[in-house]
Structure formats: C-alpha cells, structure tokens
C-alpha cells in the first residue's frame, strides 16, 4: 500500500469571520501532480501557505511522511529540506543575477549547483540569466522562479500560479518538465488558472468551495465519456422538448450540454451525435469532462 | 549548507550600497581625523612639561609664607613642591638635550615626581589650589607609564602625530554613541531581506537561530574586515605624513581598580574585542527590532533610544546605577578608566563592559528565540505572511 507523503486533517483557517479553509481533509502521495482550482480568494494560496507553514491554521494537523509536523522547529526544518514553494516574482533580488538565484536554491536544497546549467538550457534562459534580475520582464522572472524550483529539486513542490505571464512555448516547456518531475516521484501541487493545461499533467484536480474540497477529479481512464456540445438556453429547452435526454445528462453553466456515453448502445450514440450536430456542427467533442468543464460546473452553475 | 548560506549573505552584503557608503566613511575617518588632529596643534611632551613647570612655579610663588611658619605640614608641602619643580625643569632640560641621551634620568625624574605628588596628597594638599592638584588616578597613570618605559627600555616619543599615537586617539573619538550609531546604521536592514524577500527565503531548510547567527556572523566579519582595512589605510596614511611610531609604546588601561600600562597594539586589540562585543550586541538588537518593526528607520530610532536615554542622563549628571551597564558601548572611556573615575565605580573596566554586553546580547537572543519558538507551539491563527498574500 502506498504511504501518503502529506496528510491534512481537519485544517481550518479563518480571517475574522471568513472561513477560508473549513475542516479540510486531504491526502497526497509521491509521484502525483495535484491541480488546485478555485476562483480568486477561495483559499488556494491559503492552502499552500498552510502546507508550507507560512500560515498557522486555527485548528487541524499537517503530517509529512507520517512523522513530521510543524509542532517543533526541528521537524519544520526536516520538512523544509523536502519542500519548496514557488517564490513571488516581486521577492526576487533585483541586484542579483538569475544564476545567483539558481545557485542559491541549488545549494540550499540539493547542496550542489552542477545541475543548474541543464535547467538554464532546458528553459532557454541562457540569453538573460547572467544579467541582473532587475532587468527581467515578467515572463523571464516567472521562468526564473520555476527554474529555482527545479534547482531545489525537492520531493514536494508547491507551485502557485506557475504559468502566469508565460507564452505558449514556455507553458509547453514547463508542462513537460512537470511531467518529468512526476516521473521522478515528486509530489507537486499546481494552482493555475490555465485550466486546460492542468489536464496535460495533473493526476488529480481539486476544486475548492467554501473552504472545502467541493470535487476531486481523477485524471484516469475510469472517468465517464460524454458527447459535449455548446448550446444556448433556448436550444437546450428545444432539445429537451423534442427529445428524452438521458437523466444523467449535464447542462453546465447554461452553455454546455454533456450526454454520458457509458453504457449507451452504439446506434443510440450515433443518433445523439446526429441530433446534436443539427444544433451546433462546429463545437461538438467527445471525451471526459476536463478541468474547464468541471470548473464551469462547480463555480458558474452553483454561484 | 550553512557555509553556502553565509556566502549568499556575504554576496548580498557586498551588493549593499549603504554598507559601501558606511565602509567608505570608516576608511576616510582615520586620515580625516589625522588631518584635523595635526592642524589642531596637539600637545607635545615638551608642551606638557612646560605647562607643569609653570603651574608648579606658580604654587611656589603664591604659597603663603605665614602658613609655612605656622604649620610644619605646610612647610613640608612647600619643600615637596620645590623638589617637584626642580624635577620637572630637569625633565625639560633632558628633553632639550635629547631624550635618547638622558633617557634614564628623564624616567627616574618622572617616577620621583609622581612619588612626591603622592606625598603631597598624603599631607592633604594644604593650600594648593584645587585646579592644579594632580588627581591620584593621574599619578597612578603616570607612574605606570614611566615604570613600563623603564621595564621595557622603550624610548620617549615626543612626536604626538605618529600612527601609534593618533590611532588610539581616533578610537577615543569613535568610541561611544558615534560607534553605536554607525553599527546601528550598518545593521539597520540586517534581517529585512527576510521580510522583503519573504516568499524566497522563508522556506530555507535552516532553523531561525542558524539564520540569525549566520547573518550576525557575516555582518560582523565583514564589518571587522572593513574596520581593519580602515585602520591599515589610516596607519599607512599617517605614516606617510609623519611616522609609524611604536605600537609597543605604553597605553594605560584601567583594570580591576588599577592603572595598568600595556603596549599600544594590545590596547588596540582590547578595543577591538570591545568593539566586536558592541557590534554583536547591536546586530542582535537590530535583528530583533527588524522582526518587530519591519522597517530600518524604526529599528535605528528604537535602537538609538535604548542607549541614548542612559547617555542623556549621564551627560546631564544623573547617574543612577542602572545606566552604568548601558555606557559599556563607550569602549575608550571604559579602557582608559574615565568612566570608572567619573562614576566613582572601580568595577567599571573591560570585564564589566564585556559581561554586560554579553548579558544584553543573551537577553535579546533569548527573547528572539522564545518569540520564534512560540510559533511552533501556538496553534492560534497567526499570520506569518502578509494578509494580502493569502489569496
């Protein structure tokens, strides 16, 4: 049986009257990338801060590898040896170079800087990384922050808004690197607003609402397959009037109809596809509900 | 890892423009002081002896004859003053002839002169004006000085502008509030990198005390190197303008209620030890204030008040016992015994200062340690980051 790397039990955090995390229970394992999804202000960063002990919860317990908690500084240092958090761009030292930052993280966690050049090459940072950080653009800074995480190379990584301000090429590069890190049995938390991107590498995506995990989606083959088509409210009602839709169909955020295919005979599947193509012949897809659809389902519908 | 972190701290220090500015000020301090000191025509041994001779002659001329006739003690004092006048005049003569040639005589006269001064003290300084009485502490200093010269066969240095003479005098100027403010400014943002770059540094796998100690150690070593460079440059500059002098020449320090003559280099070493202790205390205080106030200005102002208030009381003549330990930052006046004499407390010497500075440092260290320890035992919602960073 897999042993959990991180266990959160009954974690609560409140700021004045607002409960940001409410008796949250959660377990994470090595070799997982966990996507954390929620609208702004619903506790993603708070969760990361609690995991990294930058914020004390009002109650609850965090346990690493079944033995370390933040009850003593000795344990905290043991945890910090295995955990690194994504730094804020604004916290970078403007007077130091990117290489200085990478060396710092490499030395502090891995005790070496031998792997730094490989990271620089991989992220195409050679043209600027030896210049002072004060001269960097937002995208350059973001890449540096990710490179610092890679330089630290710890078993647990907390990446808050890792893809912010990055172009498509760099999003792809970092996504591939994350997949590589997962193969190295790292536990990585990624909070991101690039929802479709999460589908590429996240094993689990957790959706926050009212301080709790509203839904947790496993990115595996066991998930239901749907015919997904964008329909207006009127089109949906017309379809509903003329046809008997499966009871377990979904109409997400009053814009996306999802009809489950599992267990449906093949000829019936074809019939539904034909019918739906009449309504929208440009936006019909077949597949699992992705992070985007689930996001709409859990945040737009229930608002 | 600790060494690598120290190197990183050093890298930050080397890029800190404020420290470069303060370092430059320190480097310029000794040459500037020398220029000022040389232009203010410092007293030579000859000048001092001429002045002493004049004062003794005045006492002889104005000593009341009737008193000598009525009191045998007064007559004895009068005779002792005459002998003193003679000894001082001979000393002037030896200096004129050449201090190297008449070294033995000069030293012996000096020792004899002070013995006679003590005798006059024993007789009650009868009818001698207050302002010309040489205090016992001064007599002790001079005797220690002459004895040291005699014991170590050292020449009489009559030039007051040698490096070995000017550097200790520069230390006198630097000592006290000036030095303390300098260190406060140096350490004003010592821990603020942790506050300003929080998300980058907070998760380092180092304990709080390790971080704090590394910061204090790197800053102290860096500062001491700058101080040594400053003294070195100062010595070279003064030597080029005048001469090096003798760093084994005696300097007097107050130790366990007595005046002790030690070589100048040893005096500078002791001053260095006290400066290091003051630096350590100030840096630990700055870290504590940085954490508490999160601004460098606030840290400097509060840090300044900690010592300025006792100093203010001292300068106004109010000297309750509790202010004495705070005056330990005045390393020069601790070493030369001025504080012990002014405050009439023979306990005030280098050990007194070191013990109190260690005690103060320990107190700040303990408060800091306990404050940090609370973070791990309290499970109330304590935001360790800024509220706006929460989401």
């Amino acid at each position: 049986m897999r042993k959990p790397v991180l266990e959160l039990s009954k974690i609560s955090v409140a700021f004045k009257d607002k409960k940001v995390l409410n008796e949250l229970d959660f377990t994470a394992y090595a070799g997982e990338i966990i996507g954390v999804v929620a609208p702004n202000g619903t506790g993603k960063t708070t969760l990361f801060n609690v995991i990294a002990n930058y914020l004390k919860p009002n109650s609850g317990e965090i346990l690493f590898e079944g033995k370390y908690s933040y009850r003593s500084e000795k344990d905290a240092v043991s945890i910090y040896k295995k955990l690194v958090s994504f730094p804020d761009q604004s916290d970078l030292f403007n007077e130091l170079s990117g290489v200085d930052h990478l060396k710092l993280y490499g030395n502090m966690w891995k005790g070496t800087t031998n792997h730094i050049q490989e990271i620089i090459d991989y992220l195409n940072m050679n043209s600027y990384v030896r210049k002072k950080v004060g001269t960097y653009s937002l995208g350059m800074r973001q890449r540096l922050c990710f490179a610092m995480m890679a330089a630290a190379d710890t078993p647990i990584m907390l990446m808050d808004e890792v893809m912010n301000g990055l172009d498509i090429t760099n999003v792809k590069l970092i996504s591939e690197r994350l997949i590589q890190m997962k193969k190295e049995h790292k536990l990585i938390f990624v909070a991101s607003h690039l929802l479709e991107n999460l589908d590429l590498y996240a094993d689990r995506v957790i959706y926050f609402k009212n301080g709790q995990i509203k839904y947790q989606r496993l990115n595996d083959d066991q998930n239901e397959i749907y015919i997904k088509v964008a329909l207006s409210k009127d089109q949906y009602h017309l379809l509903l009037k003329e046809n008997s839709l499966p009871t377990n169909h979904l109409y997400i955020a009053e814009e996306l109809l999802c009809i489950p295919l599992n267990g449906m005979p093949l000829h019936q599947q074809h019939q539904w596809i034909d019918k739906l193509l009449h309504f929208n012949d440009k936006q019909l897809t077949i597949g699992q509900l992705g992070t985007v659809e689930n996001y709409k389902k859990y945040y737009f519908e229930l608002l | 890892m600790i060494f690598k972190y120290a190197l990183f701290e050093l890298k930050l220090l080397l890029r800190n423009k404020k420290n470069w500015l303060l370092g430059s000020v320190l480097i310029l301090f000794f040459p500037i002081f020398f220029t000022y000191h040389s232009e203010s025509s410092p007293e030579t041994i000859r000048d001092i002896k001429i002045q002493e001779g004049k004062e003794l002659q005045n006492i002889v001329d104005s000593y009341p004859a009737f008193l000598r006739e009525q009191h045998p003690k007064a007559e004895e004092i009068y005779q002792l003053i005459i002998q003193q006048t003679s000894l001082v005049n001979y000393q002037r003569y030896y200096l004129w002839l050449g201090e190297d040639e008449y070294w033995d005589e000069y030293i012996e006269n000096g020792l004899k002169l002070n013995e006679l001064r003590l005798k006059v003290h024993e007789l009650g300084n009868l009818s001698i004006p207050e302002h010309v009485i040489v205090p016992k502490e001064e007599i002790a200093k001079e005797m220690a000085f002459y004895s040291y010269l005699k014991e170590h066969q050292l020449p009489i240095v009559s030039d007051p502008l040698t490096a070995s003479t000017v550097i200790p005098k520069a230390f006198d100027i630097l000592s006290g509030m000036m030095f303390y403010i300098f260190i406060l400014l140096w350490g004003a943002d010592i821990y603020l990198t942790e506050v300003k770059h929080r998300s980058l540094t907070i998760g380092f796998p180092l304990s709080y005390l390790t971080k704090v100690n590394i910061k204090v150690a790197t800053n102290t070593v860096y500062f001491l190197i700058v101080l040594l460079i400053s003294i070195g440059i100062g010595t070279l500059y003064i030597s080029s303008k005048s001469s090096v002098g003798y760093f084994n020449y005696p300097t007097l320090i107050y130790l366990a209620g007595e005046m002790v003559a030690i070589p100048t280099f040893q005096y500078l070493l002791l001053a260095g030890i006290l400066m290091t202790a003051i630096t350590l205390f100030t840096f630990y205080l700055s870290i504590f204030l940085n954490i508490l106030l999160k601004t460098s200005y606030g840290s400097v102002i509060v840090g300044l008040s900690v010592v300025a208030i006792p100093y203010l009381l001292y300068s106004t003549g109010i000297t309750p016992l509790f202010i004495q330990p705070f005056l330990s930052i005045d390393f020069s006046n601790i070493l030369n015994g001025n504080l012990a004499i002014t405050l009439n407390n023979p306990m005030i010497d280098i050990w007194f200062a070191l013990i109190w500075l260690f005690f103060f440092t320990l107190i700040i260290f303990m408060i800091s340690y306990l404050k940090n320890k609370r973070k791990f035992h309290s499970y109330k919602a304590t935001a360790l980051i800024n509220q706006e960073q929460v989401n």
Side-chain angles (χ1 to χ4, degrees):
Chain A
M1 204 178 106
R2 282 197 303 171
K3 280 188 180 173
V5 173
L6 172 69
E7 290 168 272
L8 272 72
S9 48
K10 304 249 176 277
I11 295 288
S12 292
V13 174
F15 298 109
K16 291 184 181 169
D17 297 334
K18 193 186 175 191
K19 269 197 171 178
V20 183
L21 297 179
N22 187 10
E23 301 211 334
L24 182 74
D25 290 311
F26 186 72
T27 307
Y29 300 89
E32 271 195 301
I33 295 183
I34 297 169
V36 184
V37 167
N40 290 331
T42 44
K44 292 191 301 285
T45 309
T46 303
L47 173 69
F48 283 11
N49 286 330
V50 167
I51 292 173
N53 197 39
Y54 303 163
L55 186 76
K56 282 278 176 211
N58 296 67
S59 62
E61 186 89 44
I62 307 159
L63 206 60
F64 287 82
E65 295 176 345
K67 53 183 172 180
Y68 300 118
S69 70
Y70 290 115
R71 291 280 178 187
S72 74
E73 193 178 20
K74 197 180 163 202
D75 271 13
V77 173
S78 300
I79 294 167
Y80 283 157
K81 282 180 182 167
K82 295 160 192 268
L83 181 146
V84 67
S85 295
F86 200 75
D88 281 352
Q89 287 190 4
S90 56
D91 284 354
L92 295 170
F93 292 93
N94 284 334
E95 65 276 24
L96 298 182
S97 71
V99 172
D100 290 332
H101 285 81
L102 294 175
K103 281 184 179 171
L104 173 68
Y105 267 48
N107 279 324
M108 290 309 293
W109 277 278
K110 218 169 150 73
T112 176
T113 56
N114 293 341
H115 58 306
I116 300 294
Q117 190 53 49
E118 183 273 323
I119 298 166
I120 294 169
D121 293 339
Y122 180 83
L123 293 168
N124 298 323
M125 296 166 71
N126 277 303
S127 60
Y128 68 88
V129 77
R130 280 163 191 88
K131 291 176 186 164
K132 284 186 179 177
V133 169
T135 63
Y136 292 8
S137 68
L138 284 180
M140 288 166 160
R141 282 169 173 260
Q142 192 71 3
R143 253 188 292 170
L144 174 61
C145 290
F146 179 78
M148 287 161 71
M149 302 283 283
D153 198 27
T154 52
I156 308 169
M157 295 182 175
L158 305 176
M159 302 203 187
D160 197 1
E161 304 298 354
V162 62
M163 304 294 180
N164 260 13
L166 293 178
D167 58 28
I168 297 167
T169 316
N170 285 305
V171 167
K172 186 173 177 286
L173 275 177
I174 290 179
S175 302
E176 283 169 4
R177 188 78 181 196
L178 286 171
I179 293 165
Q180 188 190 319
M181 287 170 165
K182 182 167 71 171
K183 285 178 187 162
E184 291 164 7
H185 290 282
K186 296 186 190 307
L187 166 61
I188 304 168
F189 285 83
V190 179
S192 176
H193 289 295
L194 284 184
L195 302 177
E196 283 172 334
N197 176 252
L198 282 174
D199 292 338
L200 288 177
Y201 48 76
D203 300 276
R204 277 197 274 171
V205 179
I206 53 176
Y207 298 77
F208 266 97
K209 192 146 186 133
N210 300 326
Q212 287 184 320
I213 297 172
K214 182 73 190 170
Y215 175 68
Q216 181 170 220
R217 188 180 73 84
L218 296 173
N219 198 3
D220 56 26
D221 298 335
Q222 306 300 313
N223 286 334
E224 186 96 59
I225 304 290
Y226 292 86
I227 304 170
K228 297 181 278 186
V229 64
L231 290 185
S232 69
K233 221 172 161 180
D234 294 340
Q235 285 175 319
Y236 173 67
H237 286 299
L238 186 63
L239 187 71
L240 208 57
K241 205 172 155 185
E242 292 174 355
N243 300 281
S244 166
L245 280 166
T247 48
N248 54 348
H249 80 276
L250 301 168
Y251 184 53
I252 297 170
E254 297 185 335
E255 62 173 37
L256 187 74
L257 175 67
C258 302
I259 297 174
L261 292 181
N262 290 14
M264 188 185 279
L266 200 61
H267 72 276
Q268 212 174 335
Q269 290 181 15
H270 289 155
Q271 280 173 3
W272 274 116
I273 291 169
D274 282 343
K275 273 180 203 169
L276 292 171
L277 281 171
H278 285 297
F279 286 93
N280 189 340
D281 59 356
K282 286 178 185 154
Q283 289 184 49
L284 189 142
T285 52
I286 295 173
Q288 297 177 352
L289 286 190
T291 307
V292 178
E293 286 94 7
N294 276 303
Y295 189 89
K296 284 176 181 172
K297 183 178 167 187
Y298 290 102
Y299 296 111
F300 291 175
E301 260 189 0
L302 304 172
L303 275 176
Chain B
M1 190 194 298
I2 288 171
F3 177 68
K4 300 271 172 66
Y5 182 68
L7 281 182
F8 171 72
E9 277 296 318
L10 197 61
K11 195 179 276 181
L12 286 180
L13 277 178
L14 290 170
R15 280 169 171 76
N16 189 325
K17 287 173 189 160
K18 180 205 69 188
N19 287 353
W20 276 101
L21 180 72
L22 288 171
S24 310
V25 169
L26 196 59
I27 286 169
L28 287 173
F29 171 75
F30 291 98
I32 290 172
F33 175 76
F34 172 77
T35 310
Y36 161 79
H37 187 61
S38 56
E39 280 174 8
S40 63
S41 313
E43 271 188 326
T44 62
I45 293 179
R46 285 183 183 83
D47 296 332
I48 294 165
K49 287 294 157 191
I50 289 168
Q51 185 60 28
E52 276 179 7
K54 277 181 186 171
E55 280 173 3
L56 286 165
Q57 194 57 53
N58 280 342
I59 299 170
V60 172
D61 293 344
S62 60
Y63 207 83
F66 73 92
L67 205 65
R68 287 164 49 200
E69 287 160 12
Q70 287 171 7
H71 295 281
K73 255 190 189 178
E75 177 59 26
E76 201 178 340
I77 287 171
Y78 181 73
Q79 291 305 325
L80 287 169
I81 298 291
I82 287 176
Q83 283 180 54
Q84 285 180 35
T85 313
S86 168
L87 288 166
V88 168
N89 286 334
Y90 263 110
Q91 279 191 309
R92 287 169 60 189
Y93 178 61
Y94 297 142
L95 286 173
W96 181 71
L97 287 174
E99 57 260 35
D100 295 339
E101 220 168 311
Y102 290 87
W103 182 88
D104 279 325
E105 291 83 349
Y106 181 87
I107 301 285
E108 286 306 328
N109 276 21
L111 286 167
K112 182 78 184 158
L113 171 71
N114 283 293
E115 276 172 28
L116 297 181
R117 280 172 175 166
L118 272 180
K119 273 190 184 170
V120 175
H121 267 283
E122 282 163 19
L123 293 168
N125 290 312
L126 202 65
S127 200
I128 295 178
E130 195 74 30
H131 68 278
V132 290
I133 295 172
V134 181
K136 278 184 179 173
E137 294 82 6
E138 280 301 312
I139 297 169
K141 275 185 189 179
E142 277 203 25
M143 288 186 88
F145 177 77
Y146 286 122
S147 303
Y148 188 90
L149 286 184
K150 189 179 174 184
E151 192 184 336
H152 294 87
Q153 298 288 301
L154 291 170
I156 299 148
V157 177
S158 51
D159 185 359
L161 292 173
T162 62
S164 63
T165 320
V166 174
I167 298 289
K169 282 195 190 305
F171 271 30
D172 292 348
I173 299 294
L174 193 64
S175 171
M177 284 305 281
M178 190 197 266
F179 183 71
Y180 180 67
I181 291 169
F182 191 86
I183 302 294
L184 263 183
L185 290 173
W186 189 286
D189 51 1
I190 185 166
Y191 202 78
L192 286 183
T193 45
E194 301 291 317
V195 179
K196 286 179 184 167
H197 306 274
R198 189 150 191 131
S199 71
L200 204 140
T201 57
I202 190 172
F204 284 169
L206 294 169
S207 69
Y208 165 77
L209 286 185
T210 310
K211 270 189 197 176
V212 163
N213 289 336
I214 290 173
K215 277 178 190 293
V216 170
T218 45
N219 272 276
T220 305
V221 168
Y222 182 38
F223 169 72
L224 290 178
I225 289 171
V226 172
L227 183 66
L228 277 176
I229 292 171
S230 310
I231 295 169
I233 291 174
T235 306
L236 284 175
Y237 178 80
I238 298 165
S239 307
S240 71
K241 298 281 177 190
S242 167
S243 70
V244 183
Y246 299 91
F247 277 95
N248 54 351
Y249 207 65
T251 304
L252 295 154
I253 65 157
Y254 189 78
L255 195 65
E258 280 182 14
M259 281 296 171
V260 183
I262 56 168
T264 303
F265 73 83
Q266 207 173 326
Y267 172 85
L268 295 176
L269 198 69
L270 292 180
I273 290 169
L274 274 175
M275 280 196 261
T276 308
I278 294 162
T279 307
L280 289 171
F281 158 69
T282 315
F283 283 161
Y284 277 111
L285 178 67
S286 296
I287 285 181
F288 178 66
L289 293 173
N290 275 183
I291 293 169
L292 212 64
L293 306 168
K294 294 183 175 56
T295 77
S296 47
Y297 300 110
S299 303
V300 170
I301 288 166
V302 176
L304 193 61
S305 347
V306 169
V307 170
I309 293 167
Y311 249 85
L312 215 63
L313 287 173
Y314 171 64
S315 59
T316 51
I318 305 163
T319 55
L321 263 179
F322 78 87
I323 70 157
Q324 292 185 2
F326 292 96
L327 304 176
S328 298
I329 59 156
D330 195 352
F331 60 88
S332 176
N333 280 320
I334 292 271
L335 284 174
N336 63 28
N338 283 351
L339 264 178
I341 293 160
T342 315
L343 295 170
N344 199 24
N345 181 358
M347 299 283 286
I348 300 176
D349 60 7
I350 183 169
W351 289 112
F352 173 91
L354 284 175
I355 289 166
W356 274 108
L357 286 168
F358 175 75
F359 177 71
F360 286 145
T361 310
L362 192 70
I363 293 277
I364 294 161
F365 190 81
M366 287 307 292
I367 294 171
S368 250
Y369 173 75
L370 292 174
K371 191 176 180 298
N372 180 64
K373 204 172 170 63
R374 268 191 67 224
K375 287 199 300 201
F376 295 94
H377 289 275
S378 158
Y379 248 63
K380 286 181 181 172
T382 316
L384 307 178
I385 56 160
N386 294 332
Q387 184 71 35
E388 61 265 25
Q389 281 180 276
V390 168
N391 287 297

